[in-house]
Amino acid sequence: MQVGLDQQQHQQQSDWHPRRHVRVVAKDSSVSSSVVRPPANRVPSVLPPIDMGNDESNRIRMTLRRAGVMVDEKLQAQLPSWTEMTSLYGSQPNIIGLERCEAFRHSLAKPSDALIGPAGMFNTGTNFLEQMLYLNCQIPDSTISTNGMRRNVPWGKHTPASWRLHFDAEVDGGVSHTDTLPIVMVKDPMTWMQSMCRHPYAATWRHTQKHCPNLVANDSDEEVGIHGRGPDKTIEVSIRYNGNKDGTTHHNSLADLWNDWYGAYYEAEYPRLIVRYEDLLFYPEFVLTKTCQCAGGKIKSENFRFQKNPAKGGAAHEGSSGMAEAVVKYGKAENRFVGFDAKDKSYVANHLRRDLLEEFKYSPIQ
Protein backbone atom coordinates (compact mmCIF):
# COMPACT_ATOMS: atom_id res chain seq x y z
CA MET A 1 0.00 0.00 0.00
CA GLN A 2 1.10 3.52 -0.73
CA VAL A 3 0.86 5.17 2.63
CA GLY A 4 0.52 8.93 2.72
CA LEU A 5 0.51 9.56 -1.04
CA ASP A 6 -3.12 10.68 -1.16
CA GLN A 7 -2.59 13.13 1.70
CA GLN A 8 0.58 14.41 0.03
CA GLN A 9 -1.15 15.01 -3.31
CA HIS A 10 -4.11 16.68 -1.58
CA GLN A 11 -1.68 19.05 0.15
CA GLN A 12 0.09 19.72 -3.14
CA GLN A 13 -3.20 20.67 -4.81
CA SER A 14 -4.26 22.94 -1.97
CA ASP A 15 -0.86 24.67 -2.05
CA TRP A 16 -0.81 25.05 -5.79
CA HIS A 17 -0.05 28.40 -7.33
CA PRO A 18 1.05 29.34 -10.84
CA ARG A 19 4.77 29.09 -11.49
CA ARG A 20 6.59 32.35 -11.85
CA HIS A 21 6.86 33.60 -15.42
CA VAL A 22 9.47 31.74 -17.42
CA ARG A 23 10.86 33.63 -20.35
CA VAL A 24 10.59 31.67 -23.60
CA VAL A 25 12.82 32.62 -26.48
CA ALA A 26 11.04 31.33 -29.57
CA LYS A 27 12.58 30.57 -32.92
CA ASP A 28 10.31 33.25 -34.35
CA SER A 29 12.11 35.92 -32.35
CA SER A 30 9.88 38.68 -33.68
CA VAL A 31 7.26 37.45 -31.21
CA SER A 32 8.15 37.53 -27.53
CA SER A 33 6.06 36.56 -24.57
CA SER A 34 6.08 34.98 -21.15
CA VAL A 35 4.61 31.67 -20.13
CA VAL A 36 3.08 30.67 -16.82
CA ARG A 37 3.63 27.01 -15.91
CA PRO A 38 2.71 25.13 -12.75
CA PRO A 39 5.59 23.43 -10.95
CA ALA A 40 6.12 19.77 -11.78
CA ASN A 41 3.87 17.41 -9.76
CA ARG A 42 1.77 20.28 -8.43
CA VAL A 43 -1.45 20.83 -10.33
CA PRO A 44 -4.85 22.19 -9.24
CA SER A 45 -7.98 20.06 -9.32
CA VAL A 46 -9.26 22.40 -12.04
CA LEU A 47 -7.49 24.99 -14.13
CA PRO A 48 -7.91 28.66 -13.18
CA PRO A 49 -10.02 30.79 -15.54
CA ILE A 50 -8.20 32.08 -18.59
CA ASP A 51 -7.59 35.83 -18.59
CA MET A 52 -9.06 36.84 -21.94
CA GLY A 53 -7.84 40.41 -21.65
CA ASN A 54 -4.92 39.58 -23.94
CA ASP A 55 -4.95 38.09 -27.42
CA GLU A 56 -7.01 34.91 -26.94
CA SER A 57 -4.87 32.95 -29.41
CA ASN A 58 -1.87 33.50 -27.13
CA ARG A 59 -2.59 30.40 -25.03
CA ILE A 60 -2.48 28.06 -28.02
CA ARG A 61 0.54 29.81 -29.50
CA MET A 62 2.44 29.51 -26.24
CA THR A 63 1.71 25.78 -25.99
CA LEU A 64 3.16 25.28 -29.45
CA ARG A 65 6.19 27.42 -28.70
CA ARG A 66 6.91 25.51 -25.50
CA ALA A 67 6.92 22.41 -27.68
CA GLY A 68 9.58 24.01 -29.89
CA VAL A 69 7.24 24.70 -32.81
CA MET A 70 8.08 27.84 -34.77
CA VAL A 71 4.89 29.90 -34.97
CA ASP A 72 5.39 32.05 -38.04
CA GLU A 73 2.82 34.39 -39.57
CA LYS A 74 1.39 31.65 -41.79
CA LEU A 75 0.80 29.26 -38.89
CA GLN A 76 -0.45 32.06 -36.65
CA ALA A 77 -3.15 32.90 -39.21
CA GLN A 78 -4.32 29.27 -39.20
CA LEU A 79 -4.51 28.76 -35.45
CA PRO A 80 -7.96 28.47 -33.88
CA SER A 81 -9.00 31.02 -31.31
CA TRP A 82 -9.29 29.90 -27.71
CA THR A 83 -13.03 30.63 -27.84
CA GLU A 84 -13.45 28.42 -30.91
CA MET A 85 -11.55 25.54 -29.33
CA THR A 86 -13.46 25.74 -26.05
CA SER A 87 -16.78 25.85 -27.92
CA LEU A 88 -15.96 22.31 -29.06
CA TYR A 89 -14.41 20.82 -25.93
CA GLY A 90 -15.28 23.07 -23.01
CA SER A 91 -13.02 25.29 -20.94
CA GLN A 92 -11.57 22.51 -18.76
CA PRO A 93 -9.83 19.19 -19.40
CA ASN A 94 -12.07 16.21 -18.73
CA ILE A 95 -10.44 13.06 -17.32
CA ILE A 96 -12.75 10.14 -16.52
CA GLY A 97 -11.81 7.80 -13.66
CA LEU A 98 -9.66 9.89 -11.31
CA GLU A 99 -11.78 8.70 -8.40
CA ARG A 100 -10.34 5.19 -8.93
CA CYS A 101 -6.67 6.19 -8.66
CA GLU A 102 -6.44 5.49 -4.94
CA ALA A 103 -7.92 2.01 -5.40
CA PHE A 104 -5.36 1.23 -8.10
CA ARG A 105 -2.42 2.35 -5.94
CA HIS A 106 -3.67 0.43 -2.92
CA SER A 107 -4.02 -2.74 -5.02
CA LEU A 108 -0.26 -2.89 -5.68
CA ALA A 109 2.03 -5.12 -3.62
CA LYS A 110 4.45 -2.20 -3.57
CA PRO A 111 4.31 1.25 -5.25
CA SER A 112 7.21 0.50 -7.61
CA ASP A 113 5.16 -2.30 -9.25
CA ALA A 114 2.91 0.25 -10.94
CA LEU A 115 2.83 0.31 -14.74
CA ILE A 116 1.11 2.78 -17.07
CA GLY A 117 -0.07 1.64 -20.50
CA PRO A 118 -1.91 3.45 -23.32
CA ALA A 119 -5.11 2.05 -24.78
CA GLY A 120 -7.52 3.39 -27.36
CA MET A 121 -9.15 2.75 -30.70
CA PHE A 122 -7.02 3.36 -33.80
CA ASN A 123 -6.31 7.03 -34.58
CA THR A 124 -6.83 8.37 -31.06
CA GLY A 125 -3.28 9.43 -30.12
CA THR A 126 -2.09 6.34 -28.24
CA ASN A 127 1.42 6.73 -29.67
CA PHE A 128 1.41 10.43 -28.79
CA LEU A 129 0.46 9.54 -25.22
CA GLU A 130 3.12 6.82 -25.05
CA GLN A 131 5.88 9.22 -26.09
CA MET A 132 4.71 12.01 -23.78
CA LEU A 133 4.58 9.64 -20.81
CA TYR A 134 8.01 8.24 -21.60
CA LEU A 135 9.48 11.75 -21.82
CA ASN A 136 7.89 13.10 -18.65
CA CYS A 137 6.63 10.46 -16.19
CA GLN A 138 8.38 7.95 -13.97
CA ILE A 139 7.33 5.47 -11.30
CA PRO A 140 9.76 5.93 -8.37
CA ASP A 141 12.05 2.91 -7.84
CA SER A 142 10.62 1.08 -10.86
CA THR A 143 12.82 -1.82 -11.89
CA ILE A 144 12.05 -1.62 -15.62
CA SER A 145 14.13 0.49 -17.99
CA THR A 146 11.23 2.71 -19.04
CA ASN A 147 10.46 3.73 -15.43
CA GLY A 148 7.09 1.99 -15.43
CA MET A 149 5.88 3.32 -18.79
CA ARG A 150 4.61 0.65 -21.21
CA ARG A 151 3.99 0.91 -24.95
CA ASN A 152 0.60 -0.73 -24.53
CA VAL A 153 -1.63 -2.27 -21.94
CA PRO A 154 -0.65 -5.97 -21.82
CA TRP A 155 -3.96 -7.17 -23.32
CA GLY A 156 -3.38 -4.95 -26.38
CA LYS A 157 -3.98 -1.23 -26.69
CA HIS A 158 -6.58 -1.50 -29.47
CA THR A 159 -8.35 -4.64 -28.24
CA PRO A 160 -11.69 -4.49 -26.39
CA ALA A 161 -11.83 -3.71 -22.67
CA SER A 162 -13.24 -7.17 -21.93
CA TRP A 163 -9.97 -8.83 -23.02
CA ARG A 164 -8.23 -7.69 -19.85
CA LEU A 165 -7.22 -10.76 -17.79
CA HIS A 166 -8.12 -13.03 -20.74
CA PHE A 167 -5.56 -12.27 -23.45
CA ASP A 168 -1.87 -11.34 -23.64
CA ALA A 169 -0.73 -9.26 -26.59
CA GLU A 170 2.29 -10.83 -28.24
CA VAL A 171 4.64 -7.96 -27.34
CA ASP A 172 3.55 -7.87 -23.70
CA GLY A 173 3.28 -11.49 -22.66
CA GLY A 174 3.83 -12.01 -18.95
CA VAL A 175 3.20 -8.41 -17.93
CA SER A 176 0.79 -8.03 -15.01
CA HIS A 177 -2.65 -6.87 -16.10
CA THR A 178 -3.72 -5.75 -12.64
CA ASP A 179 -0.52 -3.76 -12.03
CA THR A 180 -1.11 -1.82 -15.27
CA LEU A 181 -3.19 1.36 -15.20
CA PRO A 182 -4.87 1.75 -18.61
CA ILE A 183 -4.90 5.30 -19.98
CA VAL A 184 -7.65 5.11 -22.58
CA MET A 185 -7.44 7.72 -25.33
CA VAL A 186 -10.67 8.90 -26.94
CA LYS A 187 -11.28 11.39 -29.73
CA ASP A 188 -14.40 13.31 -30.78
CA PRO A 189 -16.27 10.63 -32.79
CA MET A 190 -16.83 12.99 -35.73
CA THR A 191 -13.16 13.77 -36.32
CA TRP A 192 -12.20 10.21 -35.33
CA MET A 193 -14.30 8.78 -38.14
CA GLN A 194 -12.54 11.10 -40.59
CA SER A 195 -9.19 9.80 -39.31
CA MET A 196 -10.40 6.23 -39.84
CA CYS A 197 -11.05 7.04 -43.50
CA ARG A 198 -7.40 8.06 -43.90
CA HIS A 199 -5.99 5.15 -41.85
CA PRO A 200 -8.38 2.21 -41.35
CA TYR A 201 -5.71 -0.10 -39.85
CA ALA A 202 -7.40 -3.40 -38.94
CA ALA A 203 -10.93 -2.04 -39.46
CA THR A 204 -12.59 -3.14 -42.70
CA TRP A 205 -15.65 -1.71 -44.40
CA ARG A 206 -16.40 -0.75 -47.96
CA HIS A 207 -15.85 2.91 -48.70
CA THR A 208 -14.49 5.28 -51.31
CA GLN A 209 -12.71 8.62 -51.21
CA LYS A 210 -15.86 10.19 -52.63
CA HIS A 211 -17.94 9.26 -49.58
CA CYS A 212 -16.21 8.68 -46.27
CA PRO A 213 -17.15 8.59 -43.47
CA ASN A 214 -19.99 6.58 -45.00
CA LEU A 215 -22.31 5.45 -42.24
CA VAL A 216 -25.37 5.11 -44.46
CA ALA A 217 -25.05 4.04 -48.10
CA ASN A 218 -25.92 6.81 -50.57
CA ASP A 219 -26.31 6.88 -54.35
CA SER A 220 -22.58 7.17 -55.02
CA ASP A 221 -21.99 4.09 -52.86
CA GLU A 222 -24.70 2.10 -54.63
CA GLU A 223 -23.21 2.98 -58.03
CA VAL A 224 -19.99 1.17 -57.15
CA GLY A 225 -21.67 -1.77 -55.47
CA ILE A 226 -21.47 -0.63 -51.83
CA HIS A 227 -24.77 -1.56 -50.23
CA GLY A 228 -25.86 -0.85 -46.71
CA ARG A 229 -26.70 -4.18 -45.10
CA GLY A 230 -27.00 -3.09 -41.50
CA PRO A 231 -29.95 -1.41 -39.80
CA ASP A 232 -31.07 1.76 -41.65
CA LYS A 233 -28.87 0.70 -44.62
CA THR A 234 -25.74 1.21 -42.55
CA ILE A 235 -22.37 0.04 -43.83
CA GLU A 236 -21.08 -2.56 -41.39
CA VAL A 237 -17.54 -2.55 -39.97
CA SER A 238 -15.41 -5.47 -38.80
CA ILE A 239 -12.11 -5.54 -36.93
CA ARG A 240 -9.78 -8.53 -37.03
CA TYR A 241 -7.45 -8.41 -34.05
CA ASN A 242 -4.07 -10.09 -34.53
CA GLY A 243 -3.07 -13.03 -32.37
CA ASN A 244 -6.54 -14.29 -31.52
CA LYS A 245 -8.40 -16.66 -33.83
CA ASP A 246 -11.71 -15.59 -32.28
CA GLY A 247 -10.76 -11.94 -32.30
CA THR A 248 -13.05 -10.48 -34.95
CA THR A 249 -15.68 -7.98 -33.84
CA HIS A 250 -18.61 -6.72 -35.93
CA HIS A 251 -20.36 -3.37 -35.72
CA ASN A 252 -23.30 -1.77 -37.54
CA SER A 253 -21.25 1.28 -38.62
CA LEU A 254 -18.23 3.36 -37.71
CA ALA A 255 -20.37 5.27 -35.24
CA ASP A 256 -21.46 2.00 -33.63
CA LEU A 257 -17.83 0.88 -33.42
CA TRP A 258 -17.08 4.03 -31.38
CA ASN A 259 -20.13 3.33 -29.19
CA ASP A 260 -19.23 -0.31 -28.61
CA TRP A 261 -15.51 0.15 -27.97
CA TYR A 262 -15.71 3.17 -25.64
CA GLY A 263 -18.91 2.04 -23.98
CA ALA A 264 -17.10 -1.07 -22.74
CA TYR A 265 -14.20 0.91 -21.25
CA TYR A 266 -16.55 3.49 -19.76
CA GLU A 267 -18.58 0.75 -18.06
CA ALA A 268 -15.54 -1.27 -16.94
CA GLU A 269 -15.37 -1.62 -13.16
CA TYR A 270 -11.58 -1.82 -12.87
CA PRO A 271 -9.36 1.27 -12.48
CA ARG A 272 -8.78 3.12 -15.76
CA LEU A 273 -8.52 6.68 -16.93
CA ILE A 274 -10.24 7.91 -20.07
CA VAL A 275 -8.40 10.91 -21.53
CA ARG A 276 -9.53 13.01 -24.46
CA TYR A 277 -6.95 13.35 -27.22
CA GLU A 278 -7.90 17.02 -27.54
CA ASP A 279 -7.04 17.66 -23.87
CA LEU A 280 -3.60 16.10 -24.31
CA LEU A 281 -3.14 18.41 -27.28
CA PHE A 282 -4.30 21.66 -25.67
CA TYR A 283 -3.51 21.03 -21.96
CA PRO A 284 -0.51 18.69 -22.12
CA GLU A 285 1.20 19.50 -18.80
CA PHE A 286 -2.02 19.32 -16.80
CA VAL A 287 -3.20 16.05 -18.35
CA LEU A 288 0.18 14.30 -18.16
CA THR A 289 0.71 15.30 -14.54
CA LYS A 290 -2.72 14.06 -13.47
CA THR A 291 -2.25 10.84 -15.42
CA CYS A 292 1.21 10.20 -14.02
CA GLN A 293 0.19 10.87 -10.42
CA CYS A 294 -2.82 8.57 -10.67
CA ALA A 295 -0.51 5.55 -10.78
CA GLY A 296 1.78 6.97 -8.09
CA GLY A 297 4.24 8.43 -10.59
CA LYS A 298 6.09 11.72 -10.62
CA ILE A 299 6.87 14.18 -13.39
CA LYS A 300 10.60 13.99 -14.05
CA SER A 301 11.34 17.69 -14.37
CA GLU A 302 9.75 21.11 -14.40
CA ASN A 303 11.17 21.44 -17.91
CA PHE A 304 8.31 19.61 -19.53
CA ARG A 305 9.24 17.76 -22.73
CA PHE A 306 7.02 17.62 -25.78
CA GLN A 307 6.49 15.31 -28.72
CA LYS A 308 5.98 17.88 -31.48
CA ASN A 309 6.39 15.67 -34.55
CA PRO A 310 4.12 12.77 -35.61
CA ALA A 311 4.47 10.09 -32.95
CA LYS A 312 3.88 7.33 -35.49
CA GLY A 313 6.39 5.89 -37.93
CA GLY A 314 6.22 3.66 -40.99
CA ALA A 315 4.16 3.57 -44.14
CA ALA A 316 0.94 2.70 -42.30
CA HIS A 317 1.15 6.02 -40.44
CA GLU A 318 1.98 8.34 -43.34
CA GLY A 319 -0.01 11.58 -43.06
CA SER A 320 -0.27 11.43 -39.27
CA SER A 321 -0.58 14.87 -37.74
CA GLY A 322 2.27 16.70 -36.08
CA MET A 323 1.37 18.87 -33.12
CA ALA A 324 0.89 22.12 -35.06
CA GLU A 325 -1.18 20.49 -37.78
CA ALA A 326 -3.29 18.70 -35.16
CA VAL A 327 -3.98 21.94 -33.27
CA VAL A 328 -5.29 23.53 -36.47
CA LYS A 329 -7.26 20.45 -37.53
CA TYR A 330 -8.93 19.67 -34.20
CA GLY A 331 -9.30 23.18 -32.84
CA LYS A 332 -11.61 24.50 -35.56
CA ALA A 333 -15.34 23.80 -35.63
CA GLU A 334 -15.43 23.92 -39.45
CA ASN A 335 -13.43 20.67 -39.58
CA ARG A 336 -15.77 18.61 -37.45
CA PHE A 337 -18.21 17.40 -40.11
CA VAL A 338 -15.99 17.14 -43.18
CA GLY A 339 -17.14 14.25 -45.38
CA PHE A 340 -20.52 13.62 -43.74
CA ASP A 341 -23.67 13.92 -45.83
CA ALA A 342 -27.17 14.61 -44.46
CA LYS A 343 -28.00 10.92 -43.93
CA ASP A 344 -24.73 10.33 -42.08
CA LYS A 345 -25.36 13.30 -39.79
CA SER A 346 -28.90 12.14 -39.10
CA TYR A 347 -27.69 8.64 -38.23
CA VAL A 348 -25.00 9.99 -35.93
CA ALA A 349 -27.47 12.32 -34.18
CA ASN A 350 -29.81 9.42 -33.49
CA HIS A 351 -27.36 6.60 -32.76
CA LEU A 352 -24.21 7.92 -31.10
CA ARG A 353 -24.54 7.23 -27.39
CA ARG A 354 -25.58 10.50 -25.80
CA ASP A 355 -24.45 9.40 -22.37
CA LEU A 356 -20.89 8.94 -23.68
CA LEU A 357 -20.93 12.30 -25.48
CA GLU A 358 -22.11 13.97 -22.27
CA GLU A 359 -19.61 12.18 -20.01
CA PHE A 360 -16.71 12.83 -22.37
CA LYS A 361 -18.00 16.41 -22.83
CA TYR A 362 -18.12 16.42 -26.60
CA SER A 363 -20.54 18.82 -28.23
CA PRO A 364 -23.89 17.19 -29.08
CA ILE A 365 -24.63 16.30 -32.69
CA GLN A 366 -27.61 18.22 -34.06
Side-chain angles (χ1 to χ4, degrees), residues 25-47:
V25 180
K27 294 179 181 178
D28 52 332
S29 56
S30 61
V31 182
S32 62
S33 185
S34 298
V35 181
V36 178
R37 303 177 188 165
N41 299 300
R42 301 182 69 182
V43 296
S45 56
V46 296
L47 290 174

Side-chain angles (χ1 to χ4, degrees), residues 210-269:
K210 187 174 182 179
H211 181 209
C212 196
N214 56 336
L215 306 181
V216 180
N218 64 13
D219 291 341
S220 69
D221 293 317
E222 299 282 352
E223 289 173 1
V224 295
I226 300 176
H227 306 292
R229 304 189 186 282
D232 302 307
K233 293 185 67 175
T234 56
I235 298 173
E236 297 172 317
V237 180
S238 297
I239 298 182
R240 174 76 166 86
Y241 293 103
N242 291 333
N244 189 327
K245 64 182 178 63
D246 300 317
T248 300
T249 61
H250 303 277
H251 313 271
N252 289 333
S253 71
L254 275 176
D256 294 285
L257 167 58
W258 190 91
N259 283 345
D260 297 342
W261 205 94
Y262 286 101
Y265 260 113
Y266 176 70
E267 293 160 6
E269 296 181 356

Side-chain angles (χ1 to χ4, degrees), residues 106-318:
H106 287 181
S107 72
L108 302 168
K110 55 183 184 299
S112 59
D113 288 342
L115 302 169
I116 299 177
M121 184 36 63
F122 315 116
N123 294 298
T124 55
T126 55
N127 289 340
F128 183 36
L129 172 66
E130 174 205 338
Q131 290 298 317
M132 293 286 273
L133 284 169
Y134 176 76
L135 291 170
N136 295 286
C137 181
Q138 62 183 355
I139 300 296
D141 302 317
S142 175
T143 58
I144 70 172
S145 60
T146 53
N147 296 312
M149 304 302 111
R150 303 291 307 181
R151 293 183 60 187
N152 314 286
V153 291
W155 54 96
K157 67 179 177 180
H158 299 312
T159 55
S162 60
W163 289 24
R164 180 181 180 267
L165 302 181
H166 303 291
F167 176 76
D168 279 328
E170 184 176 347
V171 295
D172 285 310
V175 176
S176 171
H177 289 213
T178 55
D179 287 350
T180 303
L181 178 69
I183 311 300
V184 183
M185 295 294 289
V186 64
K187 187 187 283 184
D188 183 329
M190 307 309 294
T191 54
W192 171 76
M193 285 187 269
Q194 297 173 45
S195 297
M196 289 294 290
C197 291
R198 293 188 292 272
H199 301 290
Y201 298 101
T204 58
W205 76 101
R206 298 195 67 190
H207 60 282
T208 65
Q209 290 184 345
K210 187 174 182 179
H211 181 209
C212 196
N214 56 336
L215 306 181
V216 180
N218 64 13
D219 291 341
S220 69
D221 293 317
E222 299 282 352
E223 289 173 1
V224 295
I226 300 176
H227 306 292
R229 304 189 186 282
D232 302 307
K233 293 185 67 175
T234 56
I235 298 173
E236 297 172 317
V237 180
S238 297
I239 298 182
R240 174 76 166 86
Y241 293 103
N242 291 333
N244 189 327
K245 64 182 178 63
D246 300 317
T248 300
T249 61
H250 303 277
H251 313 271
N252 289 333
S253 71
L254 275 176
D256 294 285
L257 167 58
W258 190 91
N259 283 345
D260 297 342
W261 205 94
Y262 286 101
Y265 260 113
Y266 176 70
E267 293 160 6
E269 296 181 356
Y270 51 82
R272 83 285 180 263
L273 296 184
I274 301 177
V275 173
R276 300 190 302 181
Y277 167 77
E278 299 84 4
D279 287 339
L280 185 59
L281 192 62
F282 292 105
Y283 308 95
E285 296 101 328
F286 181 91
V287 170
L288 262 293
T289 303
K290 286 286 191 182
T291 299
C292 183
Q293 289 181 343
C294 182
K298 294 181 179 295
I299 296 298
K300 295 177 181 179
S301 169
E302 290 190 15
N303 297 317
F304 200 85
R305 299 176 66 188
F306 288 80
Q307 174 70 38
K308 66 176 180 178
N309 296 315
K312 302 177 181 181
H317 303 294
E318 287 179 2

